[in-house]
Amino acid sequence: MTALKDMPISFPGLFGDWEFNPDPIAIHVGHGVYWYGIILAAAMLAGLLLCMKQAKRFGLTEDNVLDLVLWAVPCCILGSRIYYVIFYLDLYRTADGGLDWGRIVAIWDGGLAIYGTVIAGALVAFFYTRHKKLKFGAMTDLAVMGLLLGQIIGRWANFINREAFGGLTDLPWRMRLWVSQYQYIEVHPTFLYESLWNLAGLLLILFVVSKGRRFDGENTWFYFLWYGLGRTWVEGLRTDSLYLFDWTLFGQPIRVSQALSVVMAVVAAGMLFYNIRIRKRTAEGLLVNQRARLAMEAADAEALASLTEEPAEEPAPPAEGAGTAGEPAEDIPQPEDADGDNDREEERDGNTH
């Protein structure tokens, strides 16, 4: 079911007759500057700033973050669009069954999949860390925080576009959307559910998981566990899911994103259990702690080298009474000339005689 993008949105169970009718196009120039793009750009910028602020806690630098983002952002946009188009390919076909390339590249009309973003981002991070000889887990631990913040903000682009909503409900926080000029539906605001779920996950990572990290990659696996659980629940409420062929489970068709979320959560839980309970990883192996030890060892070596250096020999002080260059010496007996010595000898001779 598709909602009209030029009709008001309301929450009658919370705010009565109050309505909100945002225009999906923020600036009417050319194809238009869409709120969808503005919100996603703001989400990316917020995620970037958070990662730059947190980089030192993971043994990384702001330059590492910026270098990665320069490659990751375009690749993630491309990956998320490709993923969406592949799994919703029938939406981009012409009447004769061919592909409508104009609609495929019309990203401003919406149509990005977060799993495509994650896959593309993970690939870029892998090759970047290999090239820079950094720990992949440390980089992804930092990146998932920015990703969560981006998802928190980015989901509101779905709200503006009147998309990615859930099934019918009469709950107090139900969202009313219009599907025609005379007909409306009241549905689950799943964009809000996911945004709030991700906010809780980000707060847990920032203030709990990160502070007790035992291995590089712990934040990453926690993200997959948390997001997988939340997405499994939210996806079950949505009405625009892609189904996995004609397969069913317990008499119900299998949703692609829901199935992937379940697998992701199970794998993440297994990896956390393996690293924490079986391998008993400790914080000593974290990249940030390894770099701190190297810096401390380098400082200790430098301090030791400065202590063991032999001091430069100082010139001996001048003898007592010795003059400096250019000045006559004082209180030093002067040798008498030969004449003076002969005179005294003659005097002694005269006295003898």
Side-chain angles (χ1 to χ4, degrees):
M1 189 175 294
T2 304
L4 298 179
K5 295 187 178 183
D6 57 352
M7 294 294 285
I9 306 169
S10 61
F11 294 84
L14 297 176
F15 308 114
D17 294 332
W18 182 82
E19 295 179 334
F20 178 59
N21 190 15
D23 186 347
I25 302 178
I27 303 173
H28 290 266
V29 175
H31 287 291
V33 178
Y34 283 68
W35 280 113
Y36 191 92
I38 292 174
I39 292 172
L40 290 187
M44 292 177 191
L45 180 59
L48 170 61
L49 293 176
L50 176 62
C51 288
M52 291 177 66
K53 185 177 180 62
Q54 296 289 322
K56 288 184 179 179
R57 294 177 59 188
F58 297 86
L60 301 167
T61 66
E62 292 185 359
D63 285 343
N64 292 146
V65 175
L66 289 172
D67 288 346
L68 178 63
V69 166
L70 288 174
W71 289 99
V73 168
C75 291
C76 285
I77 294 173
L78 185 61
S80 61
R81 183 61 172 178
I82 290 174
Y83 184 99
Y84 185 89
V85 170
I86 287 174
F87 286 103
Y88 292 87
L89 195 58
D90 288 341
L91 299 177
Y92 299 96
R93 292 191 182 277
T94 59
D96 59 359
L99 293 178
D100 187 345
W101 290 100
R103 292 188 61 200
I104 287 176
V105 300
I107 197 171
W108 49 85
D109 288 335
L112 298 175
I114 187 60
Y115 284 126
T117 303
V118 173
I119 292 170
L123 289 173
V124 173
F126 174 77
F127 288 111
Y128 175 80
T129 52
R130 287 288 299 271
H131 176 68
K132 293 291 185 178
K133 295 181 173 57
L134 298 171
K135 280 194 172 184
F136 176 67
M139 180 61 77
T140 56
D141 278 356
L142 176 62
V144 293
M145 295 196 299
L147 179 60
L148 271 173
L149 182 56
Q151 288 176 274
I152 292 166
I153 299 171
R155 276 301 169 195
W156 288 85
N158 298 134
F159 171 68
I160 299 295
N161 272 7
R162 288 84 157 171
E163 63 187 6
F165 49 83
L168 300 176
T169 183
D170 57 358
L171 290 170
W173 52 83
R174 63 189 181 275
M175 179 172 62
R176 177 178 291 176
L177 299 172
W178 293 82
V179 295
S180 72
Q181 293 288 339
Y182 310 102
Q183 182 183 7
Y184 63 78
I185 54 175
E186 294 182 345
V187 297
H188 284 284
T190 49
F191 81 93
L192 179 61
Y193 296 168
E194 191 168 332
S195 184
L196 293 176
W197 180 265
N198 290 336
L199 175 60
L202 177 61
L203 293 176
L204 284 172
I205 287 180
L206 278 172
F207 300 110
V208 180
V209 182
S210 285
K211 291 187 176 181
R213 273 195 321 144
R214 286 146 288 193
F215 64 96
D216 287 314
E218 186 168 350
N219 280 8
T220 307
W221 290 119
F222 177 82
Y223 164 80
F224 285 126
L225 173 62
W226 184 263
Y227 184 74
L229 292 174
R231 186 61 185 267
T232 299
W233 161 55
V234 171
E235 193 67 26
L237 299 174
R238 287 175 59 166
T239 59
D240 59 346
S241 298
L242 173 70
Y243 294 97
L244 190 61
F245 308 118
D246 296 324
W247 300 356
T248 60
L249 182 66
F250 305 119
Q252 297 295 323
I254 300 175
R255 304 168 188 254
V256 172
S257 293
Q258 197 171 37
L260 183 56
S261 296
V262 170
V263 172
M264 185 170 64
V266 170
V267 171
M271 291 301 296
L272 287 170
F273 181 81
Y274 171 74
N275 282 282
I276 295 172
R277 303 296 297 177
I278 297 179
R279 291 195 62 183
K280 300 185 183 302
R281 303 278 289 272
T282 65
E284 293 181 358
L286 294 173
L287 176 63
V288 62
N289 291 336
Q290 290 179 358
R291 291 196 162 183
R293 283 196 300 272
L294 290 174
M296 187 177 296
E297 289 171 2
D300 290 345
E302 185 177 349
L304 182 62
S306 64
L307 289 174
T308 56
E309 282 182 0
E310 295 185 2
E313 295 184 0
E314 298 181 0
E320 187 178 351
T324 59
E327 296 181 359
E330 297 179 356
D331 300 326
I332 298 178
Q334 300 295 324
E336 296 183 354
D337 57 16
D339 292 341
D341 292 339
N342 291 338
D343 291 343
R344 282 192 292 274
E345 289 177 0
E346 289 177 356
E347 290 177 0
R348 284 195 297 271
D349 291 342
N351 294 333
T352 302
H353 294 304

